[in-house]
Amino acid sequence: MIIGVPKEIKISENRVGMTEAGAKQLTLEGHTVIVEKDAGVGSGITNEQYEKAGAKIIDTKKEVYAKADMIMKVKEPLPDEYELMKENQILYTYLHLAAEPKLTKVLVEKKVKAVAYETIQLPNRSLPLLTPMSEVAGRMATQVGAFYLQKDHGGKGILMGGVTGVKPAKVTIIGGGVVGTNAAKMAVGLGAQVTILDVSTARLEYLDDIFKGRCQTLFSNAINIENSVAESDLVVGGVLITGHKAPTLVTKEMISSMQKGSVVVDVAVDQGGCIETCRPTSHTNPTYEVDGVIHYCVPNMPGVVPRTSTYALTNVTLKYASMLAAMGVEDAVAKDASLMKGLNVYGGYVCYEPVARDLGMEY
Ligand code: NAD
């Protein structure tokens, strides 16, 4: 199979869909890997490194899409790439289609075989291809929150850990999954006072155990969220209902109840966000204010730490890329139920139920 790796074009997206080690493995397995010129530069991987690993460097994105049987990338295709995709081409990448009705329509019309990293799900319900990027984004959420809480960055001017004799910042994390846990690890590490809310009592028990009393756990309901948000300096949104658009849990009124110069980081923005006032931003213009509260809602947070993220991502994507390349989509998903959950569009239909339901499309 010919596997194409285009250069990412989302703003400040420096990750790449395959490392040189991935190119070497797939080449050794008998496939041809074609990489768009300079696709890896943002992640510190040169064209020469890909060539040494057996890949071919191709000058244009158009050529990569035209030649490849499978496109392997990081973020969803953007409008400039829509016309480049072709019928029966396998598209293996993050898609987040519940928040992307236009792209979904294109994939359906073009009969692309679209496998979404974020919905591949193991029998224990974990999402192995989302996990490493959620670790990165969760850890960044606290880092970014601390940055914008500084007065010189528009914040109220508070140090996360406080100092001796002075209170630390209060941090509320909504959703105690991978994003939430990693955001909490960093916030606790900085000495902040942290509350994590989740609807899963099993998850709250787990968090209580691992943080050994250094984090408050709270059941997620409207009243607990309202109270916790009102007194927080930093709110991190990290909820997920797999495949669905994120539920709105923090209302505009709750945002208005926060002190001016407070910060919200809605990591769940890629699924539509769990904060009512959330709208997607980009790394070049990452924040805006609502009622004096700074909002940071970048859907590709890991894109600016590519030397960490590219390697963490491809550690987990390669296994399934290998299966798709060796067997084709049909046999690969028939063999592996986890991969089957990743198939979002096939043969002109949405075939992942939560996406079809959220977008009101035929399933
Ligand atoms: P996860 O499945 O590990 O965790 C989600 C948690 O949300 C679960 O523990 C679940 O019980 C909880 N939850 C569901 N409904 C809730 C509610 N009403 N109140 C409180 N908690 C609730 O998911 P994750 O890997 O942590 O990802 C979270 C979100 O972050 C996803 O939308 C993911 O796509 C997104 N994400 C964004 C970026 C970015 O760059 N912006 C990067 C990685 C992940």
Side-chain angles (χ1 to χ4, degrees):
M1 186 178 274
I2 300 179
I3 302 153
V5 183
K7 186 167 164 49
E8 296 296 318
I9 52 173
K10 201 162 186 134
I11 294 177
S12 300
E13 182 51 77
N14 293 294
R15 288 172 291 177
V16 60
M18 194 186 297
T19 58
E20 72 280 27
K24 178 145 196 172
Q25 182 181 318
L26 290 166
T27 306
L28 288 174
E29 288 171 9
H31 306 292
T32 301
V33 176
I34 55 176
V35 180
E36 185 182 344
K37 192 173 165 208
D38 293 340
V41 167
S43 297
I45 309 169
T46 62
N47 296 329
E48 292 69 37
Q49 281 174 289
Y50 280 119
E51 281 176 329
K52 207 171 156 210
K56 291 194 176 74
I57 298 296
I58 302 279
D59 277 336
T60 66
K61 187 178 307 304
K62 196 169 169 190
E63 241 182 303
V64 171
Y65 273 90
K67 287 188 171 153
D69 304 304
M70 171 160 81
I71 292 289
M72 187 167 166
K73 61 195 299 303
V74 180
K75 290 307 286 183
E76 75 282 358
L78 296 184
D80 280 355
E81 293 169 299
Y82 289 177
E83 65 178 29
L84 304 181
M85 292 183 285
K86 53 185 189 183
E87 188 166 336
N88 285 329
Q89 193 165 46
I90 303 172
L91 173 66
Y92 178 49
T93 189
Y94 284 119
L95 285 169
H96 300 285
L97 292 181
E100 289 284 347
K102 271 195 203 140
L103 171 60
T104 309
K105 199 161 165 266
V106 172
L107 296 175
V108 165
E109 280 169 7
K110 293 214 159 207
K111 299 198 167 116
V112 170
K113 301 172 181 177
V115 180
Y117 292 165
E118 73 280 2
T119 65
I120 292 177
Q121 193 170 32
L122 297 176
N124 68 3
R125 302 185 62 77
S126 68
L127 305 165
L129 276 59
L130 190 61
T131 301
M133 293 306 98
S134 293
E135 284 185 39
V136 173
R139 289 175 187 215
M140 274 185 76
T142 300
Q143 221 171 273
V144 160
F147 178 85
Y148 285 106
L149 277 172
Q150 282 181 214
K151 198 76 183 165
D152 56 333
H153 298 134
K156 56 167 61 159
I158 194 168
L159 186 63
M160 288 287 269
V163 284
T164 310
V166 183
K167 279 192 229 165
K170 284 191 178 173
V171 178
T172 290
I173 298 170
I174 305 172
V178 183
V179 164
T181 306
N182 280 276
K185 277 185 188 168
M186 300 302 268
V188 165
L190 287 173
Q193 188 184 323
V194 183
T195 301
I196 312 182
L197 295 104
D198 205 293
V199 281
S200 159
T201 44
R203 190 69 193 175
L204 293 178
E205 265 171 42
Y206 165 79
L207 292 168
D208 208 44
D209 277 351
I210 62 162
F211 284 110
K212 302 192 188 323
R214 292 195 64 201
C215 258
Q216 152 131 46
T217 56
L218 206 54
F219 189 75
S220 175
N221 60 38
I223 291 178
N224 283 342
I225 292 175
E226 185 181 336
N227 292 337
S228 198
V229 166
E231 57 185 33
S232 288
D233 302 299
L234 169 65
V235 173
V236 175
V239 304
L240 175 67
I241 302 170
T242 307
H244 282 287
K245 202 171 169 307
T248 301
L249 301 174
V250 177
T251 63
K252 190 170 183 323
E253 288 69 39
M254 294 181 199
I255 293 292
S256 310
S257 73
M258 296 176 77
Q259 280 180 5
K260 304 227 179 302
S262 301
V263 177
V264 295
V265 178
D266 198 347
V267 184
V269 59
D270 56 352
Q271 294 287 135
C274 62
I275 294 170
E276 190 180 1
T277 45
C278 157
R279 59 177 163 79
T281 58
S282 67
H283 283 294
T284 46
N285 197 6
T287 60
Y288 59 94
E289 276 186 31
V290 176
D291 286 341
V293 175
I294 300 173
H295 287 53
Y296 176 100
C297 307
V298 176
N300 61 328
M301 293 171 70
V304 289
V305 286
R307 290 188 188 216
T308 305
S309 311
T310 289
Y311 289 91
L313 178 62
T314 54
N315 282 345
V316 291
T317 53
L318 199 63
K319 168 184 162 188
Y320 295 107
S322 213
M323 289 173 71
L324 289 165
M327 295 183 243
V329 164
E330 296 76 4
D331 288 351
V333 300
K335 189 155 184 235
D336 189 305
S338 301
L339 185 56
M340 176 72 206
K341 296 226 166 163
L343 192 59
N344 276 228
V345 177
Y346 181 85
Y349 287 92
V350 175
C351 51
Y352 186 70
E353 203 223 337
V355 168
R357 199 159 359 115
D358 281 8
L359 297 181
M361 293 180 80
E362 202 176 336
Y363 167 63

